[in-house]
Amino acid sequence: MFVDVAFPISQYQVFTYRIPKQFAEVVSVGVRVRAPIGKRILSGIIVKITKDTSFTGKIRKISEVIDGTPLLDESLWQLMQWISNYYITPLGKAATVIPANLSIKYKPQERWMVQAKQMGKIEEDLEKSAPAQANVLNKLMEHKEPIPITDFNKLVASPLTVCKGLEKKGLVKLFKEASTPITSNFEFDPIHKEIYFSDTQVAAINKIQKYIKEKKYSGMLLHGVTGSGKTEVYIKIAQDILEQGKSIIILLPEIALTPQIAGRFRAVFGDKVGLWHSKLTGAARAFTWTNICSGKYRVVVGARSAIFAPLKNLGLVVVDEEQETSYKQEAPDPRYHARDVALMRGKLQNAAVILVSATPSLESYYNRIMGKLDYCYLPERFNDAAYPIVMVVDMIKEQEETGKIGQILSSSLQQKIEQRLKNKEQIILLQNRRGYAPIYRCRDCGEMIICPTCSIPLTYHRVGENLQCHFCGYLQTKIPQQCSHCNSSNLALSGTGTQKVEDIISDTFPNAKIARLDMDTTRLGKALTNTLTKFKDGKIDILLGTQMIAKGLDFDNVTLVGIINADTGLFLPDFRSGERSFQLIYQASGRSGRRKKQGEVVIQTYNADNPVIRYAARLDLKKYYNIMIGERKELNYPPFNWLAKAEFTGVKKSIVDKTANAIRNSFQKKFKGMEILGPAWCYRERLRGKYRMQIVFKSSKETDPNGRKLHQYLKNNLLNKKIGSAVKINIDIDPVSLL
Ligand code: ADP
Ligand code: ZN
Ligand code: ZN
């Protein structure tokens, strides 16, 4: 018997092996094995089993079978094949979405527990004959519950021996217990709520249930203004599906950032829910995975990769905040988009897929116009909460009027903050840049201090007094006093990050309690949860942060949202930068006035006439989306065209340049409806020591309705080209960013 094995390498080829007798019974398609390839032994996945082989070379043997049963069932296996095809990634690489070194043979660690059999006083005999035992027993009698024997590590030299002695005398109960790994770092305590659905909510629920009943598979967009109860609506649908005995996946863009929602799920789904996210420890990951496989967890809440959770009898997938770009895996391969994989998984397993958003991606918005997605809209906020009043502050005018250049807080925003503080209401301030100042520059020659491997400006951090690269993490603790180019000592910080805003608000409002949330303060999940809990309990007046505070948060007493600089990101050279800025402003505004009190939003901008700012300020999504649709159509961008990007990276600039151009020149004839742009240097030309060039491909959906022509073209022209090892080519299908 022979098997074909796919490895996580960049070749499409599969390799044939002989099966040693002892493995004959356990091998099947989808089982992971380890096998020699060249001089190494790698793990790969069995993709085919045959009696004979036409391969005439030397056939080696499988070294080891990793899992006794296939890691993936038939339909997940199909999904993997779709990913491999669609994202042009070898199957062995596609399968790496299943966490590495995850064993389904996982057994939780066990630990010894001990419990006193009787309370009260110990006998004097014991104190004399066995003082160590007496010591332990004394302590034990302070607890009613069993405790781990490791608690006595400090008290006696060998707690296990001592406890065994006590057990012999019949004084204690000693037993082993499986210790479950901690998976709860990012959860809020369960948040219980009384839910009475409004008429519009009931209508939405009925409509969605109808879709689900009528069709086996249904993809739909649940679009609702911020605070309309979208979360409650899909929780209700999920409960129904759970009652029918089916299972559910709920995807969130970054679960570690959404402890509030996790707490809500905990309350509703109890111990049926497992959380799946990037910060789980190895043991917690294996533990969770085992519980998913065994059917104990029937609801999986997680980030991107949770879409591959091996739940049986899947009934529903929810993709919350479906517009978020973190659903796209940008590296390594496969560069999949979890939303699109969700829709495909739904099709393969006859499950409903609900995309949820207040600001849908333009793709989904357009797909529902074209009838590819069913649609459900929640037009009003729950409980008659009014929409916030939005005010745009033109910072250029402000400059002219006050004569102060580069103000961080306009007088209007300052006044409104004062007023809220007086009323004991809370404030959220958004500044979508972390650090203190993003640029450190020579005032005489303009030279900037840049990352030695990324060639982008280093950000100054006042906390820790250092310069950091926000791409590769490079840290420079010595802050230069002189320009390396002209030796001038006239160096200055420019631009504004969250730390600087924090300084300024603390100076302006010395009595206010302020907290900052950004990547720097939330590296440890607990810090995030703590800050949000404090804010909820009213122990913080002003919450300041990056985009991570713009979405999903739901606080009763927030009546003012200030956007310190709405222009951040607006002019990045990417066709989606307008869409992103609009969504960010709209979402952030949605945090204000979610209950009885009228909310307000202040948007500070130097581009008050820009359509993104204008329509975001009116909260007029439809108008702005229509403008975007027009622009995308004119410029042949998605959703009207397929888009793909080939990225060439290498250490030597000239070689990257030469290779990219040579490949470009070798392309065969374009087909009708296709456009090729580039090669051009990427906007961030050098990252992590590597130069980057890109070629962008567009293919009209009119002439290439399912993108097959484009895929074929990329395969023929880019794959298996001999280019040497100095340059790497990555193909990105449906890239979310062209930067
Ligand atoms: P969205 O996801 O649309 O922003 P949420 O589902 O978070 O909105 O709802 C906003 C707030 O209103 C939440 O605190 C939610 O619990 C509450 N809410 C929404 N619908 C109901 C309901 N039918 N009964 C009680 N509370 C509700
Ligand atoms: Zn200089
Ligand atoms: Zn760097």
Side-chain angles (χ1 to χ4, degrees):
M1 215 169 39
F2 301 93
V3 289
D4 286 349
V5 177
F7 292 98
I9 54 177
S10 47
Q11 285 157 2
Y12 268 79
Q13 194 186 347
V14 293
F15 296 81
T16 305
Y17 293 90
R18 207 182 285 283
I19 310 268
K21 272 224 180 71
Q22 77 262 33
F23 297 144
E25 301 218 320
V26 283
V27 297
S28 58
V29 169
V31 160
R32 284 185 308 178
V33 293
R34 287 168 64 76
I37 171 165
K39 285 191 182 130
R40 296 176 296 170
I41 292 193
L42 290 181
S43 55
I45 284 205
I46 297 181
V47 295
K48 204 167 149 199
I49 302 185
T50 50
K51 279 227 165 68
D52 301 304
T53 176
S54 52
F55 185 69
T56 50
K58 183 170 180 266
I59 298 183
R60 302 165 83 177
K61 279 189 282 191
I62 297 280
S63 342
E64 191 191 332
V65 175
I66 300 177
D67 318 297
T69 48
L71 209 55
L72 305 169
D73 62 16
E74 185 60 34
S75 60
L76 267 180
W77 185 242
Q78 280 174 4
L79 187 66
M80 227 43 81
Q81 277 164 329
W82 177 79
I83 288 180
S84 166
N85 275 330
Y86 187 82
Y87 292 105
I88 315 188
T89 308
L91 192 56
K93 263 195 178 176
T96 55
V97 294
I98 297 156
N101 63 39
L102 183 85
S103 167
I104 47 181
K105 292 177 214 149
Y106 165 81
K107 284 253 171 359
Q109 280 193 335
E110 294 192 322
R111 56 181 185 171
W112 284 102
M113 304 290 289
V114 61
Q115 186 179 21
K117 280 199 169 163
Q118 276 179 352
M119 295 306 188
K121 270 194 71 113
I122 60 169
E123 289 166 26
E124 264 175 45
D125 269 10
L126 191 66
E127 282 191 354
K128 275 188 204 136
S129 63
Q133 291 184 2
N135 240 343
V136 167
L137 192 56
N138 254 327
K139 268 267 174 304
L140 259 183
M141 285 180 170
E142 291 167 13
H143 304 267
K144 279 204 182 101
E145 310 290 318
I147 56 176
I149 63 166
T150 45
D151 283 14
F152 301 113
N153 279 350
K154 286 212 179 103
L155 197 67
V156 294
S158 149
L160 185 58
T161 324
V162 174
C163 289
K164 280 192 171 154
L166 283 166
E167 192 194 23
K168 258 198 190 139
K169 293 181 181 150
L171 295 169
V172 301
K173 229 169 75 186
L174 187 63
F175 57 96
K176 269 190 182 171
E177 185 191 78
S179 69
T180 44
I182 298 163
T183 51
S184 61
N185 266 354
F186 300 103
E187 292 169 45
F188 256 33
D189 295 331
I191 301 171
H192 293 275
K193 266 189 189 168
E194 292 268 1
I195 303 292
Y196 302 98
F197 288 111
S198 67
D199 291 348
T200 27
Q201 288 176 335
V202 171
I205 292 167
N206 289 342
K207 194 168 173 188
I208 295 174
Q209 276 167 339
K210 200 161 154 256
Y211 286 141
I212 293 179
K213 253 185 228 136
E214 275 171 8
K215 308 172 190 173
K216 279 201 163 145
Y217 153 80
S218 170
M220 63 194 108
L221 176 62
L222 171 57
H223 178 197
V225 299
T226 52
S228 54
K230 295 183 290 299
T231 317
E232 301 300 346
V233 166
Y234 76 66
I235 286 179
K236 172 76 176 85
I237 303 285
Q239 281 175 308
D240 291 347
I241 299 234
L242 199 66
E243 268 168 32
Q244 296 165 24
K246 296 185 185 161
S247 57
I248 295 145
I249 298 176
I250 297 173
L251 297 184
L252 303 172
E254 194 15 321
I255 183 148
L257 300 183
T258 31
Q260 251 193 335
I261 300 189
R264 199 58 198 105
F265 293 143
R266 189 54 91 206
V268 179
F269 300 113
D271 57 7
K272 288 194 197 69
V273 55
L275 299 187
W276 185 259
H277 55 78
S278 58
K279 300 223 168 100
L280 286 181
T281 61
R285 196 168 277 261
F287 174 77
T288 307
W289 192 266
T290 314
N291 280 336
I292 295 171
C293 292
S294 75
K296 179 167 184 279
Y297 290 158
R298 283 174 48 217
V299 183
V300 172
V301 178
R304 183 169 71 215
S305 64
I307 191 56
F308 301 108
L311 289 160
K312 301 267 151 30
N313 199 5
L314 185 70
L316 173 71
V317 183
V318 174
V319 186
D320 203 350
E321 306 286 2
E322 63 88 27
Q323 79 285 358
E324 278 299 310
T325 52
S326 60
Y327 282 125
K328 170 90 182 182
Q329 173 148 310
E330 297 222 273
D333 289 341
R335 289 152 208 266
Y336 68 94
H337 199 303
R339 175 195 59 216
D340 301 337
V341 174
L343 289 166
M344 193 33 105
R345 187 167 178 186
K347 265 185 206 154
L348 289 171
Q349 305 192 345
N350 296 326
V353 181
I354 308 183
L355 313 180
V356 183
S357 182
T359 52
S361 64
L362 192 66
E363 279 82 353
S364 299
Y365 188 82
Y366 186 71
N367 276 340
R368 84 96 184 158
I369 294 179
M370 300 306 286
K372 283 194 195 150
L373 292 172
D374 293 325
Y375 187 62
C376 189
Y377 185 56
L378 289 167
E380 58 212 36
R381 288 186 143 191
F382 177 68
N383 224 346
D384 303 323
Y387 240 64
I389 297 167
V390 187
M391 167 182 187
V392 175
V393 177
D394 182 338
M395 295 301 277
I396 295 180
K397 279 207 189 112
E398 176 92 8
Q399 246 170 30
E400 284 163 2
E401 279 160 20
T402 60
K404 290 183 205 154
I405 308 269
Q407 284 277 81
I408 305 265
L409 281 183
S410 62
S411 45
S412 322
L413 183 53
Q414 185 170 336
Q415 274 166 20
K416 286 186 195 295
I417 295 176
E418 265 161 30
Q419 196 186 43
R420 300 304 137 117
L421 290 172
K422 226 183 259 156
N423 297 353
K424 300 260 176 272
E425 291 165 10
Q426 288 169 300
I427 300 138
I428 289 182
L429 296 179
L430 173 79
Q431 171 64 8
N432 199 16
R433 260 222 161 118
R434 67 195 171 95
Y436 189 88
I439 293 169
Y440 192 40
R441 187 202 301 267
C442 169
R443 279 202 171 139
D444 291 331
C445 75
E447 179 88 354
M448 287 186 276
I449 312 239
I450 58 171
C451 170
T453 63
C454 300
S455 312
I456 55 170
L458 293 175
T459 299
Y460 171 69
H461 283 238
R462 171 156 292 176
V463 183
E465 280 293 320
N466 55 38
L467 294 166
Q468 291 177 23
C469 172
H470 283 183
F471 273 89
C472 70
Y474 169 82
L475 189 80
Q476 183 170 323
T477 45
K478 224 172 136 213
I479 306 218
Q481 303 299 321
Q482 258 185 348
C483 171
S484 61
H485 187 68
C486 74
N487 286 334
S488 155
S489 53
N490 194 6
L491 300 180
L493 295 169
S494 69
T496 306
T498 46
Q499 292 177 7
K500 183 162 165 190
V501 177
E502 188 181 20
D503 271 11
I504 289 167
I505 340 177
S506 322
D507 287 350
T508 320
F509 309 104
N511 297 322
K513 278 160 277 159
I514 301 161
R516 172 166 62 87
L517 277 187
D518 53 33
M519 290 246 288
D520 300 309
T521 60
T522 58
R523 287 242 155 73
L524 304 163
K526 271 276 182 244
L528 174 78
T529 311
N530 287 346
T531 304
L532 292 179
T533 310
K534 275 195 196 154
F535 192 56
K536 184 172 126 243
D537 295 342
K539 289 177 193 148
I540 293 167
D541 305 310
I542 304 177
L543 182 65
L544 157 74
T546 53
Q547 43 81 24
M548 69 170 66
I549 62 167
K551 279 159 304 194
L553 301 180
D554 180 41
F555 296 105
D556 293 357
N557 196 30
V558 174
T559 58
L560 177 65
V561 166
I563 298 173
I564 303 290
N565 183 356
D567 310 334
T568 316
L570 192 54
F571 298 110
L572 287 174
D574 187 297
F575 72 97
R576 284 199 183 86
S577 57
E579 177 180 350
R580 299 242 165 89
S581 295
F582 180 91
Q583 288 165 342
L584 182 64
I585 298 170
Y586 187 102
Q587 293 270 5
S589 307
R591 301 311 111 208
S592 182
R594 286 166 75 91
R595 300 294 185 275
K596 292 267 142 52
K597 292 176 202 154
Q598 173 71 53
E600 258 188 294
V601 179
V602 175
I603 301 176
Q604 304 190 137
T605 173
Y606 291 86
N607 298 280
D609 285 335
N610 188 294
V612 171
I613 308 279
R614 272 192 4 238
Y615 293 110
R618 289 187 213 154
L619 304 175
D620 193 342
L621 188 134
K622 208 168 160 189
K623 260 265 174 53
Y624 183 64
Y625 276 45
N626 281 336
I627 293 176
M628 275 200 293
I629 288 176
E631 281 174 3
R632 299 278 179 93
K633 187 162 190 177
E634 197 178 325
L635 299 171
N636 295 333
Y637 275 115
F640 299 94
N641 274 46
W642 301 106
L643 199 65
K645 172 172 86 170
E647 198 178 281
F648 298 77
T649 56
V651 177
K652 276 243 166 73
K653 190 171 182 178
S654 59
I655 298 184
V656 173
D657 191 8
K658 223 169 94 193
T659 313
N661 276 292
I663 289 207
R664 168 71 185 88
N665 292 333
S666 76
F667 284 168
Q668 293 146 20
K669 237 178 90 206
K670 283 185 282 189
F671 56 84
K672 191 169 170 277
M674 180 193 203
E675 253 182 272
I676 303 180
L677 308 173
W681 293 106
C682 299
Y683 171 67
R684 297 189 182 101
E685 187 178 304
R686 187 162 166 257
L687 286 182
R688 296 187 176 87
K690 297 211 169 107
Y691 287 93
R692 305 162 70 224
M693 241 184 170
Q694 68 187 19
I695 300 179
V696 172
F697 304 84
K698 293 183 195 169
S699 168
S700 164
K701 285 190 183 171
E702 248 169 54
T703 46
D704 185 13
N706 41 32
R708 289 223 183 91
K709 281 188 190 168
L710 178 63
H711 282 86
Q712 206 51 51
Y713 189 90
L714 295 174
K715 279 188 185 159
N716 293 342
N717 286 283
L718 283 168
L719 287 181
N720 300 328
K721 283 253 151 113
K722 290 246 168 350
I723 53 162
S725 56
V727 178
K728 229 185 124 197
I729 307 182
N730 289 315
I731 301 177
D732 191 347
I733 303 292
D734 305 335
V736 293
S737 156
L738 294 182
L739 294 179

